[in-house]
Amino acid sequence: MDSDTIWRNVDEQRGQLADLLDTLEPHQWATPSLCADWTVREVAVHITQSHASVGEMLPAALKSGFRFDAMVRRAALEDPADPAAITARLRAMTGSRKRPPLTKEVDPLLDVLIHTQDICIPLGIDRPMPSDAAVAVADRLWHMKFPFAPQRDLPGYRFVATDADFAVGPEWGARREAPIREIVLMLSRRRDVPDAEPEADTE
């Protein structure tokens, strides 16, 4: 996926997420997300913080001992933005190609696709992923070593998409076929890898 296509998808997904967030009731913003100990509001505000400068993130980094997970959680918890401010921020990001230091160009797409599922799944909202975008994110996930490391954490599996041109893992690995959205969720540790289907009894 080329640069312009990546950022077009990022803009589309952020805008669609803002539209969805505008429909949520107050209790839904307080619903636990798929991110452990994070509410829907905290995940949503975290997505907007990808535009924060190093100076803006430094207080949270110092308070968290420069531990990545603790830093991003503290930043989300201490951000006072209300729902209207969060959706306004998301829409204001349209057209920007700004991303956090040391990240790859596809990472903002990964961030918004996965975190949208973190929000939607607990709320019972079925949110499809654009196939090409999901393939790009799955490929990025497969080659990551931090904060996800599927080649280390999920050894011995071969993941094959049933609805997209995507397959990773050793040919001899335990084959797991699933829609590309489910593979993204498995590689990002939002879903457990399913057990193998039992062999049919031929007797």
Side-chain angles (χ1 to χ4, degrees):
M1 183 175 282
D2 63 40
S3 178
D4 287 343
T5 305
I6 288 172
W7 288 106
R8 185 180 70 250
N9 274 276
V10 170
D11 285 344
E12 289 173 355
Q13 293 303 308
R14 286 172 174 166
Q16 291 172 18
L17 177 59
D19 291 344
L20 184 147
L21 291 173
D22 277 339
T23 70
L24 299 187
E25 299 293 335
H27 73 275
Q28 292 176 300
W29 283 89
T31 299
S33 75
L34 287 190
C35 293
D37 300 322
W38 288 56
T39 65
V40 164
R41 191 207 77 87
E42 289 157 6
V43 172
V45 80
H46 165 72
I47 297 171
T48 72
Q49 291 174 337
S50 65
H51 273 191
S53 67
V54 173
E56 290 170 328
M57 294 299 291
L58 189 58
L62 289 169
K63 292 177 184 177
S64 305
F66 291 93
R67 291 173 291 124
F68 177 79
D69 288 344
M71 178 190 73
V72 295
R73 173 152 174 74
R74 182 181 293 275
L77 284 171
E78 295 183 352
D79 192 315
D82 64 12
I86 291 170
T87 56
R89 281 188 201 170
L90 276 172
R91 293 190 173 99
M93 293 163 79
T94 300
S96 172
R97 296 194 174 190
K98 185 176 181 180
R99 53 191 168 91
L102 306 177
T103 60
K104 293 186 178 293
E105 195 168 39
V106 73
D107 287 351
L109 181 57
L110 180 154
D111 197 52
V112 70
L113 279 193
I114 294 174
H115 284 318
T116 295
Q117 299 297 315
D118 289 334
I119 290 169
C120 288
I121 291 173
L123 294 176
I125 298 171
D126 182 24
R127 190 72 173 181
M129 288 184 185
S131 180
D132 289 349
V135 166
V137 167
D139 183 70
R140 169 63 174 143
L141 283 164
W142 183 250
H143 292 96
M144 290 179 81
K145 296 183 179 178
F146 179 84
F148 309 110
Q151 293 191 56
R152 179 198 67 201
D153 297 336
L154 301 171
Y157 288 107
R158 180 164 177 80
F159 297 95
V160 180
T162 57
D163 57 353
D165 183 14
F166 181 80
V168 291
E171 292 284 353
W172 50 260
R175 190 180 180 95
R176 294 293 183 270
E177 296 185 2
I180 188 63
R181 177 174 64 170
E182 294 303 307
I183 291 176
V184 168
L185 293 172
M186 284 187 270
L187 297 183
S188 61
R189 307 311 298 271
R190 268 60 179 181
R191 290 266 200 257
D192 291 333
V193 178
D195 293 334
E197 292 291 334
E199 294 184 7
D201 187 353
T202 58
E203 294 184 2

